[in-house]
Each structure stands twice: as C-alpha cells, then as structure tokens.
Amino acid sequence: EIALCPNNHEVHIYRKDGAKWSKVHELKEHNGQVTGIDWAPESNRLVTCGTDRNAYVWTLKGNIWKPTLVILRINRAARCVKWSPKENKFAVGSGSRLISICYFEQENDWWVCKHIKKPIRSTVLSLDWHPNNVLLAAGSCDFKCRIFSAYIKEVEERPSPTPWGSKMPFGELMFESSSSCGWVHSICFSASGARVAWVSHDSTLCLADANKKMAVASLCTETLPLLAVTFITENSLVAAGHDCYPMLFTYEESQGALTFGGKLDVPKQSSQRGLTARERFQNLDKKASSDTANATLDTLHKNSISQISVLAGGKANCSQFCTTGMDGGMSIWDVK
Amino acid sequence: TGDALRAFHTALRSSPVNSKNQAMKEQAQGTMLKVLTSFKSSEIEQAVNSLDRNGVDLLMKYIYKGFEKPTENSSAILLQWHEKALAVGGLGSIVRVLTARKTV
C-alpha cells in the first residue's frame, strides 16, 4: 500500500492487487497542501503535515483512518515529517525555522511537542533519524546540514554514546556542516548512523563521517541539483533530482572521497520516428528549428524526481528502491 | 602556448575570490580576460583539460563575469571557452556560478 498526496489538501491510499493499483482511502482533514507523509510500519500509523501549519496522526479503526490533530506551535508551513525508528516520536520541519519534536503524553491522552530552534536560520526542508531514535539530521535553506539530539526523557532511556558524541541533551547540536552553498534538499543517515549524506542546490553531494572526526567529503556534480538522496549500502548512495534520472555514488572511506558511479535508467527505447512535413513546419514555427533531437526526455521520469524511498533490504543492503517525481510518476528500481 | 598556459594557471591560482575588494576583483577580471583572449582556438580544449574540478568551476565564474561587460570581441572568445568548460564541468558548474557566495 502507498499513501500519496496528489498535490492538494488530501492524502490518498492505494493498494496493489496483483499488478493493479486501486484507491482504497481518501484522507481529508488538512486545510492546505499536504507537504509531508510518513507511514510507521510497526504501529501502522500515518503522520501528515501541511501548509496549514498542522500535523495529523492517523490511526486505522476498522476500515477508516481517524485523524488526531497535533499542535505544532508554528506560524509558517510545515514542510517535512518523519517518524522516529521506534515510532514513539516524530519530527516536523517547517518554514518557522525550527523543528517540532512530537511525542504522546499518556496522562493527557494528547500529542505534545518541543522545539529545536538554535541555530537554524531558515526553513527546514528535510529530516532523517539516526537508528538510536535520538539523533536527528536536518537539512535547511540556510545551506547547512545539522545533527541535533531529539532526546525526550518522557519516552525513552538516556542514549549511549555514539561516534557523534556522548552528551545528548534535547536540542544539543552535535554536528553542523559548512561546505554547501545551496538549500539542503535531502539528507540521509547510513544504516549504522555513523555517516550522514546530503544534497544541496549548488549541485553538490556531501557526506560527513563520524568515524573520521566528522570529516566532510564533498563532490561537485556535473548535473543539475539533486533533490533526493539515500544510502543503499554503507558505502553507496543513490541520488536523483532535476535531471530526472537516479544516479549512483560511492564513498571510499580510506581516502574520504565521493565519486560518481554512473547514471541508472532504462536504456533508450525505440528509434526516433520520422517527422511529417507538417510537424517539421510546426517545429520551425515554434522553436525555430526542425531538429528532432531533445524534443522529449529519454529518461523514464519526464520531470524532476523529488523523492527516493528504499523498498527492500534497508539502507544497509538495498535491493529495491522507488522514485517519485513531479511528473506524477512512480518507478520501482531493482538493484543488481 | 607554454606562456599562455602558465599565465592562465597563475591567474586562476591568484584569483581574489575571498576578498571583498571590488577594485582588485575588477583588475583580476581584466587580467583573466586578456589571458583567455591570448589563446588560439585550438589550444582552449587542452587548457581546460589541465584543470581540476575546482579550476573548471572557477573558470566558469570568470566566463560569466566576462559576459556581463562585453567588449568588441570578448563574447565570441568567451563562448568558445564556455563550450569547452561546459563539456568538462557539465551543467553543475553553471549551477555553481549561480549559487556561489564568493564571486570573482
């Protein structure tokens, strides 16, 4: 099953039956564009956030998804949301230049939130949790990738030390990058949590390695900016963006270097058919050229890819991932 | 050719990216334009190939800076440099000209 937002105030859930996808639910509660959706696999709860500055936790009761409002206490749009690995907290990034960490308060039967503010100076675009359920990586429009502690004593034990540090009070800044010159669109911890990678709008991919004293490796790509990135093994990443195809990158630990590993896409299909005289004339009129080249993209996605999700194998040994894009298309890729 | 190549690398190495001194930047830009113009068309590709990734990005910045104030012949020459730099740096190098905080 997948939950998606067709670029409006609603969330639609589709179920796959054999080879066919059919819509099974429509979740209508938001008063503005839904900007983030995350589905917690263990507890089977959905969390959504939107431009209406709200978040809702959805629970399946019988055959109906029931929403519970979560007050985020923000005065700008929410932009992204992620359940923590243990699913007892979720984080929301917003245009209010802060992150809302939300958890359920048993006594009051109510979701409450705490804010992480300093030193974020612009919209938080992307979030990813460390496997220890405490550390949270955030990518922001102020060009920085940061790792914070989102430790909530009400719901968990004090965390044991990690390569990112040992003292983790709530809101503690464990790491802050300084290299990029562009909005950080997407951020991802490796399966072990010892590495974090991010892509930014200046067409760069960066990786910070906690086992190397948080040294940052960066790669200036030859492509248009990337919008999404994920680890598929501890040393390899898949990223995609405005060039509309996913690409592979590898991290070489000893040299601390990132390298481009190639473009991943379906090979070009049939040959170009010839143009009729009429089409040629139309091309000449519209584009001042009767050349057929570059008329359409030969990539699978016909518009920018905005999200990559690991489907099978986890971030340690991904065997299948999914890309979704602004062309409204979803493609599933097998990793060989 | 050897002289032009040496001048090229020197101009790139001593570029005032980190400074806020406008006069210095303008002078550097003028020098760079002279160096770029002194190359024969057939030598441009080799010069671009002698650069590392950061060098190509820096060259792109100078090319676009040069486009801003065209002189009689400058744009034509800069376009030749642009074609070769683009082949090596890709669209990413142009994106970084647009997003750069430190200008030439």
Side-chain angles (χ1 to χ4, degrees):
Chain A
E1 286 194 342
I2 65 166
L4 53 88
C5 169
N7 211 31
N8 59 15
H9 303 346
E10 303 171 359
V11 172
H12 296 175
I13 297 184
Y14 283 75
R15 182 176 296 147
K16 194 169 188 201
D17 230 326
K20 203 165 102 61
W21 287 96
S22 42
K23 195 195 310 190
V24 289
H25 290 112
E26 277 186 7
L27 277 47
K28 303 183 197 202
E29 196 74 19
H30 278 283
N31 280 328
Q33 204 88 335
V34 176
T35 52
I37 304 174
D38 201 21
W39 200 325
E42 294 299 315
S43 53
N44 198 30
R45 288 174 301 179
L46 275 161
V47 63
T48 58
C49 71
T51 57
D52 60 358
R53 312 191 296 280
N54 287 331
Y56 291 92
V57 173
W58 303 78
T59 333
L60 191 59
K61 298 260 197 288
N63 200 30
I64 307 186
W65 286 93
K66 293 241 185 281
T68 307
L69 173 67
V70 179
I71 309 274
L72 300 171
R73 296 185 286 123
I74 54 179
N75 54 12
R76 292 289 185 280
R79 279 296 258 106
C80 50
V81 61
K82 271 271 172 74
W83 282 108
S84 71
K86 292 209 177 88
E87 300 174 11
N88 51 5
K89 304 183 286 192
F90 61 88
V92 181
S94 64
S96 289
R97 307 183 289 186
L98 52 83
I99 306 169
S100 305
I101 306 290
C102 310
Y103 61 99
F104 196 67
E105 215 170 55
Q106 257 337 111
E107 317 89 76
N108 293 321
D109 195 25
W110 182 242
W111 288 88
V112 294
C113 81
K114 289 172 100 166
H115 285 167
I116 296 178
K117 261 194 187 152
K118 297 207 178 91
I120 305 172
R121 308 228 301 279
S122 187
T123 305
V124 174
L125 287 179
S126 52
L127 295 165
D128 196 32
W129 289 89
H130 186 283
N132 75 355
N133 208 59
V134 170
L135 296 179
L136 178 69
S140 167
C141 282
D142 64 1
F143 306 166
K144 303 231 182 259
C145 155
R146 298 184 178 90
I147 299 180
F148 291 100
S149 161
Y151 169 62
I152 301 281
K153 61 183 192 306
E154 284 88 343
V155 302
E156 58 200 336
E157 297 290 305
R158 200 172 266 152
S160 28
T162 72
W164 297 102
S166 1
K167 286 196 161 238
M168 287 173 260
F170 179 84
E172 181 83 358
L173 180 66
M174 314 296 286
F175 167 77
E176 186 180 70
S177 73
S178 53
S179 35
S180 312
C181 268
W183 310 313
V184 178
H185 290 294
S186 173
I187 195 163
C188 184
F189 268 112
S190 67
S192 71
R195 297 169 183 174
V196 69
W198 65 97
V199 286
S200 53
H201 206 70
D202 59 347
S203 288
T204 56
L205 164 70
C206 297
L207 185 153
D209 194 342
N211 289 329
K212 297 187 98 183
K213 301 202 180 133
M214 307 192 203
V216 176
S218 60
L219 178 65
C220 295
T221 69
E222 291 173 25
T223 60
L224 291 177
L226 298 163
L227 296 174
V229 66
T230 184
F231 276 90
I232 53 168
T233 70
E234 199 66 19
N235 293 317
S236 14
L237 305 114
V238 165
H242 289 294
D243 274 305
C244 317
Y245 55 80
M247 45 193 106
L248 186 66
F249 293 92
T250 35
Y251 175 61
E252 218 276 287
E253 183 175 357
S254 52
Q255 294 191 338
L258 279 166
T259 41
F260 176 62
K263 170 178 163 168
L264 310 165
D265 204 290
V266 291
K268 200 149 147 197
Q269 305 287 13
S270 50
S271 59
Q272 307 240 6
R273 61 180 185 86
L275 279 187
T276 64
R278 175 170 227 257
E279 284 163 334
R280 243 184 233 286
F281 186 71
Q282 277 178 334
N283 264 350
L284 204 54
D285 182 39
K286 260 194 271 183
K287 305 179 213 173
S289 139
S290 47
D291 189 7
T292 57
N294 297 322
T296 51
L297 288 179
D298 56 5
T299 52
L300 189 59
H301 277 281
K302 299 305 178 194
N303 205 326
S304 309
I305 294 175
S306 47
Q307 193 178 322
I308 303 179
S309 317
V310 168
L311 288 185
K315 287 194 264 188
N317 205 357
C318 174
S319 54
Q320 208 180 46
F321 64 87
C322 165
T323 52
T324 47
M326 304 200 202
D327 56 353
M330 176 177 91
S331 316
I332 297 180
W333 308 75
D334 296 313
V335 178
K336 296 227 183 348
Chain B
T1 329
D3 281 341
L5 203 54
R6 252 198 310 278
F8 178 53
H9 285 150
T10 312
L12 281 176
R13 245 199 322 273
S14 56
S15 99
V17 253
N18 286 315
S19 129
K20 292 209 167 98
N21 186 333
Q22 262 318 110
M24 209 197 308
K25 291 195 182 218
E26 271 184 45
Q27 190 177 44
Q29 171 61 24
T31 310
M32 181 53 91
L33 194 54
K34 268 198 216 128
V35 173
L36 296 180
T37 324
S38 71
F39 274 79
K40 288 210 264 296
S41 301
S42 52
E43 296 163 349
I44 294 180
E45 186 166 342
Q46 186 190 37
V48 174
N49 287 335
S50 72
L51 296 175
D52 65 359
R53 171 46 40 81
N54 287 335
V56 174
D57 279 359
L58 191 54
L59 172 62
M60 253 319 174
K61 285 186 187 171
Y62 273 112
I63 292 172
Y64 277 92
K65 201 74 208 270
F67 283 143
E68 282 175 32
K69 298 199 178 131
T71 63
E72 203 170 288
N73 250 341
S74 67
S75 291
I77 294 159
L78 286 174
L79 278 172
Q80 289 181 50
W81 279 95
H82 187 277
E83 184 192 346
K84 301 300 178 197
L86 181 61
V88 175
L91 290 171
S93 61
I94 299 181
V95 171
R96 281 183 290 279
V97 172
L98 297 172
T99 57
R101 306 295 273 181
K102 298 181 183 173
T103 55
V104 290

